[in-house]
Amino acid sequence: AKCQCKVVPRERKNCGYPGISAAECKKIGCCFNASVPSVPWCYSPKQKKVKKVCPTDPYHRINCGYPGIKPRECTRKGCCFRAHPAGVPWCFYHRTVEE
């Protein structure tokens, strides 16, 4: 994504080798920008910012526990717990969303 390549020149971390071409740089998953001298032109993209959320639609829950699991056991496994509605998992996995 283009926004992941918006890295301030002084914070760029070298990702290629001296003289690497833009095409070669992008092929290895890096960003290329030759507009600023004396800083890496082929550099690592910013990490995507992701956060974990508990899905709001109960019918899209993916089971993370077992029938009768206690809320504390469920959250200790790193999952979401909502004791409603009936007929869907009450202990279920987070979803990761990009910010």
Side-chain angles (χ1 to χ4, degrees):
K2 273 200 169 58
C3 61
Q4 284 178 263
C5 286
K6 285 192 174 123
V7 178
V8 204
R10 68 172 182 275
E11 290 175 9
R12 290 181 184 175
K13 293 194 181 33
N14 201 0
C15 190
Y17 51 86
I20 190 171
S21 71
E24 197 58 40
C25 177
K26 289 176 180 156
K27 199 185 291 173
I28 57 170
C30 302
C31 302
F32 190 89
N33 180 334
S35 64
V36 185
S38 339
V39 296
W41 288 358
C42 181
Y43 55 96
S44 306
K46 280 195 285 201
Q47 293 300 305
K48 284 184 178 165
K49 285 198 171 86
V50 293
K51 60 181 179 182
K52 286 182 165 186
V53 295
C54 294
T56 46
D57 183 346
Y59 300 98
H60 285 124
R61 292 178 182 172
I62 298 164
N63 199 353
C64 180
Y66 50 86
I69 190 170
K70 300 277 177 279
R72 218 171 85 223
E73 281 177 86
C74 177
T75 53
R76 202 179 299 136
K77 288 178 72 170
C79 295
C80 305
F81 187 88
R82 299 240 164 68
H84 56 81
V88 297
W90 287 2
C91 179
F92 50 97
Y93 288 101
H94 289 93
R95 230 187 41 218
T96 52
V97 292
E98 284 184 36
E99 287 180 15

